[in-house]
Amino acid sequence: MTVISTNSPTAELQAIDAAHHMHPFTQADGLAKKGARVITRAEGVWLTDSEGERILDGMAGLWCVNVGYGRKELAEVAARQMQELPFYNTFFQTTHVPVIQLAAKLAEVVPGDLNHVFFASGGSDANDTNLRMVRHYWSLKGKPSKNVVISRKNAYHGSTVAGASLGGMVPMHQQGSLPIPDIHHINQPNWWLEGGEMTPHDFGLARARELEEKILELGEDRVAAFIAEPIQGAGGVIVPPDSYWPEIQRICDQYEILLICDEVICGFGRTGNWFGHETVGAKPDIITIAKGLSSGYQPIGASVVSDEIASVIGSDEFNHGYTYSGHPVAASVALENIRILQDEKIVEHVRDVAGPYLKEKWEGLTAHPLVGEAKIVGMMGSIALTPHKESRARFAADPGTVGYICREFSFGNNLIMRHVYDRMIISPPLVMTTGEIDILIERAWKTLDMTHDKLKAEGMMQAAS
Ligand code: PXG
């Protein structure tokens, strides 16, 4: 049996990976031919791969390493907790200190009356909890027919059966008979692609009012909740027009629909406030959290719910829970992560320093011939690639072809910048310095130039008719 270690040759690691490891959202045959990039270490905002390349991580892992890599405090807390109490469950009328501390801390940092926490291992299963909880809530209130959840096309709420059903990703629905019944999707507030001749303001209102139309179509007595990310992340960092969220809030209030804000990406400082719903001015009844909750150092997620929901749910046994709900090591690490965010004023750093600096530079990318709009809130940004800015044209090539070319150049330039169809996205660690932002922008420019050159050389600057 081969000894596998960090010092093994890259080709050998790639071959064993291809032979035994099934990757998420990946066509295995294609990857096996190409070989996966092997990441071996990370520090601050920098990754190192098995070839010794230093790569600037413009995606904070997977939108999660908010405090940056290499935080010894988090490693030490985990080691200590593993020695003291590596595991105990929170079923059967039992609790432990880390989960008590973390629940209390979350009640403090989450605004309003969202004071009660149901733990999960990540964002997908927290959204499963939400689906069951909102249905059970209305049932306990004597309205069992209120069991429909409305979501949005191109939303991402996870990969479990409930998470993927709540999400609005067509390629996910096409596999495994999704969505499950009683989940409906309205259109997303993506003005660049779908706004037509409308102003962003009018388009934002029109897209919000689709929620009202859907409620009226289904009947108010059928709808339990609306779920949405304050700013869509995996859908391409779609920043809604300012008119959108106030109208959504009005509709949820008017028709007594619970509002679930999925804060898995937007939470813990990403948008320049602790939570994305503060940035867009919404008042959710439930939020979903994961990722930045532990900066990705441990798998943990949660639903944080209002006093009212907790009191209704508390009147009955809620037949739901995961072995790792409130895992003590994950809870200790999350608690320490929140301490770091608070003590180092990282949310303020995003709001006052890194966010405004990145915004100015990122918006500067619109001077590039390939870039249509640039959107950015806090430390999550996107640019739309286009063959013709004025008409917001799409490329003649299949959606995503150009984005993929751009992503490949970006990875080659040692910048992790992702694509969603033909939108390029970033979501760097929140601790990024202005000097590191300069490097990110320099590499993004170089990447755009290389992409543009290739598109011109291959006659791909054609607009779709
Ligand atoms: N909600 C939102 C808003 C998310 O972004 C989840 C729920 C699910 O969380 P877990 O922890 O179960 O993965 C997510 C996850 C991408 C990508 O390609 C994004 C996510 C996950 C994987 C890939 O951008 N977001």
Side-chain angles (χ1 to χ4, degrees), residues 62-63 122-124 127 156-158 229 234 262 264-265 291 418:
L62 201 52
W63 319 81
S124 304
N127 278 328
Y156 191 83
H157 297 299
E229 302 150 82
D262 187 334
V264 168
I265 285 176
K291 294 191 190 274
R418 286 252 318 280

Side-chain angles (χ1 to χ4, degrees), residues 306-362:
S306 67
D307 293 339
E308 147 75 8
I309 292 177
S311 91
V312 172
I313 293 289
S315 66
D316 190 23
E317 179 168 337
F318 184 33
N319 298 316
H320 178 77
Y322 311 108
T323 300
Y324 299 131
S325 288
H327 190 286
V329 179
S332 301
V333 170
L335 192 64
E336 180 67 2
N337 174 61
I338 295 173
R339 185 198 64 72
I340 293 173
L341 287 168
Q342 286 184 318
D343 287 0
E344 297 184 12
K345 300 199 182 329
I346 291 175
V347 184
E348 291 82 346
H349 170 74
V350 173
R351 192 188 61 209
D352 302 333
V353 182
Y357 190 80
L358 180 61
K359 181 176 164 69
E360 191 197 323
K361 305 272 164 177
W362 188 252

Side-chain angles (χ1 to χ4, degrees), residues 349-428:
H349 170 74
V350 173
R351 192 188 61 209
D352 302 333
V353 182
Y357 190 80
L358 180 61
K359 181 176 164 69
E360 191 197 323
K361 305 272 164 177
W362 188 252
E363 288 177 348
L365 293 174
T366 52
H368 194 279
L370 261 190
V371 178
E373 70 167 4
K375 287 287 180 188
I376 183 148
V377 177
M379 300 287 272
M380 58 195 290
S382 59
I383 46 178
L385 305 183
T386 176
H388 188 253
K389 300 179 192 225
E390 290 69 29
S391 60
R392 312 207 303 272
R394 301 173 192 226
F395 291 96
D398 286 344
T401 312
V402 170
Y404 181 77
I405 291 170
C406 188
R407 187 198 79 169
E408 288 299 280
F409 280 128
S410 186
F411 283 19
N413 289 330
N414 284 342
L415 168 64
I416 305 284
M417 173 168 69
R418 286 252 318 280
H419 79 114
V420 178
Y421 298 106
D422 295 324
R423 251 183 128 80
M424 305 310 297
I425 57 174
I426 55 160
S427 169

